[in-house]
Amino acid sequence: LTHQPSAMVTHLTDEDRAAHARPTSAAVVGGAGLAYHADMFYEQAQRCYEIAEALSGDWHWTYYSALASSARGDAEGLMLRLRRVVAQAPDFNAAWWQLGEAEFKAARYDEAQSAWRRVLTLDETRPTWDPALAGFLQLREQPPRDVPKRTIAAPIAAYAELGLARIA
């Protein structure tokens, strides 16, 4: 971190210390992963996610790990992790869409089409505040006041339809 901005160094050092202080807390270790991920330290983020997943069994950490795999250019790791996510959370449409994208880029068009068609069968995920994941922010009931609510510009189904059109 010697060549990084001081704010980043402080942020990552604090998160890393917290994870080392509470190595059996999936929320704290996973929170360190989110900090690393946000600052583009994908390898470190992925290691934290793997530990958090092992501690909790929570598929959210597997999904974040998949996103880190994507950022690292690890297409096989991305697809492997996304398949694990959709096996554990078959109604999580964002993972199905991501899996369709990964399969499409690997020229596995039947698999991509299957994933995108699955998206079309699911309800759109609505933004929610998940208290279970709030622990890494040391919050309990409410999201931070300065975090804007997610605005859905286009449903994930629209992106899945676009993917299907690309195959056609």
Side-chain angles (χ1 to χ4, degrees), residues 72-159:
R72 295 176 67 203
D74 177 10
E76 288 303 315
L78 169 65
M79 287 187 282
L80 173 76
R81 287 173 179 87
L82 287 173
R83 287 185 194 112
R84 285 180 29 215
V85 170
V86 298
Q88 291 181 342
D91 294 335
F92 185 44
N93 56 7
W96 282 108
W97 177 77
Q98 290 274 353
L99 182 57
E101 282 293 305
E103 297 286 11
F104 180 82
K105 290 175 183 175
R108 296 183 193 133
Y109 302 120
D110 289 341
E111 290 85 351
Q113 187 173 45
S114 178
W116 286 328
R117 287 196 187 285
R118 175 71 179 166
V119 170
L120 300 179
T121 69
L122 300 172
D123 289 333
E124 180 72 22
T125 302
R126 296 292 176 221
T128 59
W129 178 250
D130 185 352
L133 295 178
F136 75 91
L137 292 174
Q138 289 78 37
L139 300 171
R140 294 294 172 247
E141 299 296 328
Q142 298 295 319
R145 285 185 219 129
D146 59 342
V147 175
K149 290 192 179 220
R150 178 175 166 246
T151 302
I152 298 173
I156 292 174
Y159 293 100

Side-chain angles (χ1 to χ4, degrees), residues 6 58 141:
S6 63
D58 187 341
E141 299 296 328

Side-chain angles (χ1 to χ4, degrees), residues 28-94:
V28 174
V29 174
L34 291 170
Y36 281 119
H37 199 149
D39 289 327
M40 296 186 282
F41 288 90
Y42 302 118
E43 187 175 334
Q44 292 85 346
Q46 199 156 33
R47 181 68 185 124
C48 291
Y49 296 149
E50 289 167 359
I51 294 168
E53 179 190 5
L55 289 168
S56 68
D58 187 341
W59 61 265
H60 289 91
W61 301 120
T62 310
Y63 182 69
Y64 294 138
S65 184
L67 298 179
S69 290
S70 178
R72 295 176 67 203
D74 177 10
E76 288 303 315
L78 169 65
M79 287 187 282
L80 173 76
R81 287 173 179 87
L82 287 173
R83 287 185 194 112
R84 285 180 29 215
V85 170
V86 298
Q88 291 181 342
D91 294 335
F92 185 44
N93 56 7

